[in-house]
Amino acid sequence: DGGTGPCRHLRVVLLGDSGVGKTSILRRFVEGTFDDGVDSTISIEQMEKEVRVDGQRYVLRVVDTAGQERFRSLRENFYRGTHICLLTFALDKLASFCNLSMWRQEFLHYARVPPGTLFPFLVIGNKADVTPKARAVSDVNVQTWCGANADVPYFETSAKQALNVEEVFVAAVRHFSLME
Ligand code: GDP
Ligand code: MG
């Protein structure tokens, strides 16, 4: 149902450590595919997808980052004009969760979000398909972090099993709309 109403364009950035599944989440969301043997140094820059949320059409331009040193100089260009930032970690890698604060700070800095301004962040714990034994991040820890950061909404996803991927983007649009 394409509809004929006005269409809003939103720029969404996926941030987080290398290997947490940013590119896989984007692929799953836009192409509906998953590749187990993907090279985590490869990023697809950006892809667009139209979604309909609460009767409104949106075109999401989702920007994927490689999170590598050589791209540091480009970060300002990546982050500027962003409407929503998805802070991503992997549920089986504690370090990737510990780095969320760093990614958040870096985004606020390079995107030039005025201090004291609320910005629509969401937290994604990806790889929810891993075995309970492999889980390295407790739900309480994530909830505490989110509570300390203006109640950032949190979603567990699995790009591999197509769990919650579409949902997280819809929630992101809603979160953005409410904060506007
Ligand atoms: P990026 O560096 O953050 O872009 O991460 P990638 O998307 O390149 O994924 C890194 C690795 O994690 C790849 O081997 C993916 O196949 C794997 N991966 C990504 N998402 C998931 C997931 O939801 N579950 C599992 N088990 N593996 C995943
Ligand atoms: Mg990638």
Side-chain angles (χ1 to χ4, degrees), residues 17-25 34-40 42 64-65 126-130 157-161:
D17 284 5
S18 182
V20 298
K22 300 179 298 296
T23 302
S24 299
I25 289 168
F34 178 80
D35 181 0
D36 241 321
V38 74
D39 179 351
S40 71
I42 293 169
D64 184 27
T65 59
N126 189 44
K127 308 198 186 184
D129 56 274
V130 296
T157 63
S158 168
K160 187 172 186 169
Q161 296 185 337

Side-chain angles (χ1 to χ4, degrees), residues 62-114:
V62 188
V63 181
D64 184 27
T65 59
Q68 284 173 308
E69 214 52 34
R70 64 198 166 100
F71 288 107
R72 257 186 199 280
S73 58
L74 295 175
R75 280 185 184 159
E76 227 165 284
N77 296 326
F78 271 131
Y79 300 171
R80 205 177 291 153
T82 297
H83 299 95
I84 298 162
C85 180
L86 305 176
L87 299 168
T88 312
F89 71 94
L91 284 156
D92 63 350
K93 196 143 187 244
L94 184 58
S96 69
F97 170 70
C98 295
N99 282 333
L100 282 193
S101 293
M102 184 274 289
W103 286 113
R104 183 177 168 280
Q105 282 306 322
E106 161 156 333
F107 177 82
L108 291 171
H109 174 75
Y110 285 110
R112 303 198 183 174
V113 178

